[in-house]
């Protein structure tokens, strides 16, 4: 019987926008961006179906600095990390929930100028 679990995500996709870098109040750098993954399959009656899934990515520290400075919208990247779900309440007391990938590694698979 296993006594541990594993939370690991590996994605290959394209950036939906340029990463947005910022600093926390304590001065730690972070950035967020989204990537799209897609799958395509042939219909029985002919033609194609395609599904695009969007993933929210969060990076911290030097990885955030790298992403903010080097990654560009449309670029193909490989992301490794773990799933994390967080909740918060807005100013109107409405509850929000988001699932993100806390990034531990970024590998650019192509250069964007």
């Amino acid at each position: 019987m296993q006594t541990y679990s594993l939370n690991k995500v590996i994605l290959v996709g394209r950036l939906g926008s340029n990463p947005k870098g910022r600093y926390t109040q304590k001065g730690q750098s972070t950035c967020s961006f989204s990537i799209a993954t897609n799958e395509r399959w042939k219909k029985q009656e002919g033609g194609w179906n395609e599904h695009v899934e969007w993933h929210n990515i969060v990076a911290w520290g030097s990885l955030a600095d790298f992403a903010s400075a080097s990654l560009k919208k449309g670029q193909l990247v490989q992301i490794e990390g773990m799933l994390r779900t967080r909740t918060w309440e807005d100013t109107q007391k409405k509850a929000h929930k988001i699932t993100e990938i806390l990034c531990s590694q970024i590998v650019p698979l192509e250069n964007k100028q």
Side-chain angles (χ1 to χ4, degrees), residues 80-98:
E80 291 189 32
M82 66 171 65
L83 282 177
R84 183 68 48 94
T85 302
R86 62 185 174 91
T87 57
W88 74 96
E89 205 173 78
D90 64 18
T91 54
Q92 287 81 34
K93 304 292 186 194
K94 182 178 178 189
H96 297 270
K97 182 177 181 179
I98 189 169

Side-chain angles (χ1 to χ4, degrees), residues 28-95:
Q28 187 175 18
S29 66
T30 183
C31 84
S32 57
F33 55 96
S34 62
I35 68 168
T37 56
N38 61 315
E39 58 181 316
R40 189 175 140 162
W41 64 95
K42 194 168 187 170
K43 298 182 204 176
Q44 282 185 334
E45 62 275 0
W48 292 91
N49 271 340
E50 185 171 10
H51 175 74
V52 177
E53 191 72 38
W54 287 94
H55 310 275
N56 298 306
I57 314 295
V58 177
W60 292 90
S62 59
L63 198 56
D65 296 337
F66 167 78
S68 296
S70 303
L71 301 182
K72 302 290 181 220
K73 178 180 179 177
Q75 187 172 5
L76 186 67
V77 295
Q78 176 181 309
I79 302 293
E80 291 189 32
M82 66 171 65
L83 282 177
R84 183 68 48 94
T85 302
R86 62 185 174 91
T87 57
W88 74 96
E89 205 173 78
D90 64 18
T91 54
Q92 287 81 34
K93 304 292 186 194
K94 182 178 178 189

